[in-house]
């Protein structure tokens, strides 16, 4: 089975937190501990891929530069520009294909998560919180669609820079007893180019619905607390340093 649970902190009391990272990433235990989450905390590892997958993309770009730049210097504008443009296009195609595959893996592994949770001590008796970043929010969404609400006490769910779609959360209202907290940035360039047709929670608000009473749906625009958007990777991954303060509110 491709999905597994790693213990970050474990106690016999208090809630249980599951933390799920995104594409080509693993939850950083030091940042999770820094958030001061009470009770037991576990990192969920799924088939998120590795940066080694980027080798094909890097190779395409490197070959285009090796051919295109000398051609431009020699005055062969069409050949140089064509090589660079072709390399960039190849990188985008390869990258999109890899991302779509990992999106499928996130859906698959999320559906498998409820079974894996049975290995956690006290899982059926203690409040369960789910926290996900990027494609990790797709794992959460898939798990919620499959999970038996009678077997788990799901309290709060936090989405950070999520790739999950914004619509349809009202269908899961009965499975979440607490809050749905969405941390997003409308200037997240990584999400803006993600090959997903839906509007994503990481770029905007999750709309409230009549099934969600009171303040159960909470949206926070954290754009100005993340690294500058001109550094798109750092901006997209910057949620890990801030989520603790929003979780404790």
């Amino acid at each position: 089975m491709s999905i597994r649970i790693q213990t970050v902190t474990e106690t016999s009391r208090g809630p249980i937190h599951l933390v799920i990272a995104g594409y080509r990433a693993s939850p950083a235990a030091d940042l999770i501990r820094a958030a001061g989450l009470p009770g037991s905390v576990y990192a969920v590892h799924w088939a998120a891929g590795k940066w080694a997958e980027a080798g094909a993309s890097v190779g395409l770009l490197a070959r285009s530069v090796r051919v295109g730049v000398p051609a431009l210097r020699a005055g062969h504008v069409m050949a140089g520009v064509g090589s660079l443009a072709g390399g960039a296009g190849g990188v985008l195609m390869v990258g999109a294909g890899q991302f779509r595959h990992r999106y499928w893996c996130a859906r698959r592994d999320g559906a498998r998560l409820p079974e894996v949770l049975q290995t956690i001590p006290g899982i059926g008796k203690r409040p369960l919180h789910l926290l996900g970043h990027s494609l990790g929010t797709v794992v959460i969404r898939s798990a919620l669609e499959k999970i038996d609400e009678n077997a788990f006490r799901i309290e709060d769910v936090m989405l950070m820079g999520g790739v999950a779609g914004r619509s349809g959360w009202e269908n899961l209202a009965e499975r979440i007893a607490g809050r749905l907290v969405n941390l997003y940035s409308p200037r997240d360039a990584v999400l803006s180019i993600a090959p997903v047709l839906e509007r994503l929670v990481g770029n905007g608000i999750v709309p409230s619905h009549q099934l969600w009473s009171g303040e159960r749906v909470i949206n926070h625009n954290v754009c100005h607390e993340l690294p500058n958007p001109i550094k798109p990777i750092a901006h997209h991954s910057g949620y890990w340093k801030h989520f603790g303060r929003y979780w404790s509110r």
Side-chain angles (χ1 to χ4, degrees):
M1 184 172 290
S2 58
I3 191 165
R4 62 184 179 85
I5 305 293
Q6 174 192 355
T7 302
V8 178
T9 60
E10 191 170 60
T11 68
S12 59
R13 292 184 175 184
I16 295 172
H17 298 82
L18 296 182
V19 184
I20 311 172
Y23 183 40
R24 295 175 178 169
S26 298
D30 56 339
L31 293 178
I32 296 173
R33 292 191 185 98
L37 302 176
S40 298
V41 183
Y42 301 91
V44 177
H45 295 267
W46 59 283
K50 299 180 180 178
W51 283 106
E53 289 181 348
S57 300
V58 173
L60 283 170
L61 185 60
R63 285 193 293 274
S64 71
V65 171
R66 284 199 299 268
V67 174
V69 172
L72 286 171
R73 288 177 176 174
H76 304 304
V77 177
M78 294 298 293
V81 171
S83 295
L84 292 173
V91 168
L92 289 174
M93 289 181 64
V94 171
Q98 292 171 351
F99 182 88
R100 290 299 303 176
H101 174 64
R102 292 305 164 187
Y103 187 95
W104 177 85
C105 289
R107 294 281 306 165
R108 178 200 64 191
D109 289 354
R112 294 173 173 175
L113 181 58
E115 179 183 351
V116 179
L117 294 183
Q118 298 291 349
T119 63
I120 296 177
I123 189 67
K125 301 178 181 179
R126 299 162 63 183
L128 176 61
H129 302 302
L130 307 176
L131 303 90
H133 174 253
S134 194
L135 269 179
T137 64
V138 177
V139 176
I140 288 177
R141 177 75 179 256
S142 181
L144 288 172
E145 292 170 356
K146 295 290 185 180
I147 210 162
D148 179 0
E149 61 265 36
N150 295 319
F152 304 99
R153 294 172 53 193
I154 302 174
E155 293 289 335
D156 293 347
V157 173
M158 175 173 278
L159 314 173
M160 300 179 284
V163 182
R166 297 184 206 173
S167 63
W169 287 93
E170 64 272 11
N171 299 327
L172 303 174
E174 295 180 356
R175 303 188 180 194
I176 303 174
R179 308 169 299 166
L180 177 64
V181 182
N182 179 40
L183 306 186
Y184 72 95
S185 168
R187 300 182 65 189
D188 191 328
V190 171
L191 296 182
S192 297
I193 62 172
V196 181
L197 297 178
E198 299 178 274
R199 293 191 304 163
L200 307 182
V201 296
N203 283 139
I205 67 170
V206 176
S208 300
H209 190 274
Q210 61 182 357
L211 292 177
W212 296 89
S213 60
E215 298 295 326
R216 291 186 60 203
V217 179
I218 303 171
N219 292 284
H220 292 294
N221 182 346
V222 297
C223 177
H224 298 297
E225 298 186 39
L226 303 176
N228 196 299
I230 65 172
K231 301 177 180 179
I233 301 298
H235 187 80
H236 179 62
S237 61
Y239 291 88
W240 291 111
K241 294 183 179 180
H242 301 286
F243 78 94
R245 76 180 68 168
Y246 290 100
W247 186 257
S248 60
R249 288 184 181 180

